[in-house]
Amino acid sequence: MAGEAPPSLTLLEKLQPAILLSSIAIGLAASQLAPTFAETSSKLITPALVGLLYSIFLMVPVGRIASALRDRRSIGLALAINFVFIPILEW
């Protein structure tokens, strides 16, 4: 719609790139300084990435993640695309 102002970003959305880069730096430093940290934290990487990518790509505000996960239509569509259509296309 012409003439409408773009939605303003929240503070968390503005700081998101800095948070991501600092998280990467902290993880790399911790794994170099404490090798056992790398072994232990490797179990947390997949769930953390799922949550991170979900919130980034869908731009769901942190406070609304629980309600977004209850949206059966969106979750069903994502599951169908990822586990039905993409494997068929790749096959």
Side-chain angles (χ1 to χ4, degrees):
M1 323 241 172
E4 287 186 24
S8 61
L9 297 174
T10 65
L11 179 62
L12 185 60
E13 291 170 335
K14 290 178 185 176
L15 294 176
Q16 195 172 33
I19 292 170
L20 292 175
L21 291 175
S22 61
S23 297
I24 291 168
I26 290 169
L28 287 172
S31 67
Q32 294 299 314
L33 297 174
T36 57
F37 175 78
E39 296 169 17
T40 308
S41 65
S42 67
K43 297 177 181 109
L44 301 174
I45 290 174
T46 301
L49 282 175
V50 167
L52 180 69
L53 292 173
Y54 183 79
S55 65
I56 288 175
F57 290 129
L58 294 182
M59 292 305 292
V60 175
V62 174
R64 295 185 51 202
I65 288 179
S67 65
L69 288 172
R70 287 190 296 265
D71 184 1
R72 291 184 182 183
R73 184 176 173 194
S74 296
I75 297 295
L77 181 61
L79 290 173
I81 290 171
N82 285 313
F83 297 108
V84 176
F85 297 115
I86 297 299
I88 289 171
L89 290 173
E90 290 297 318
W91 184 64

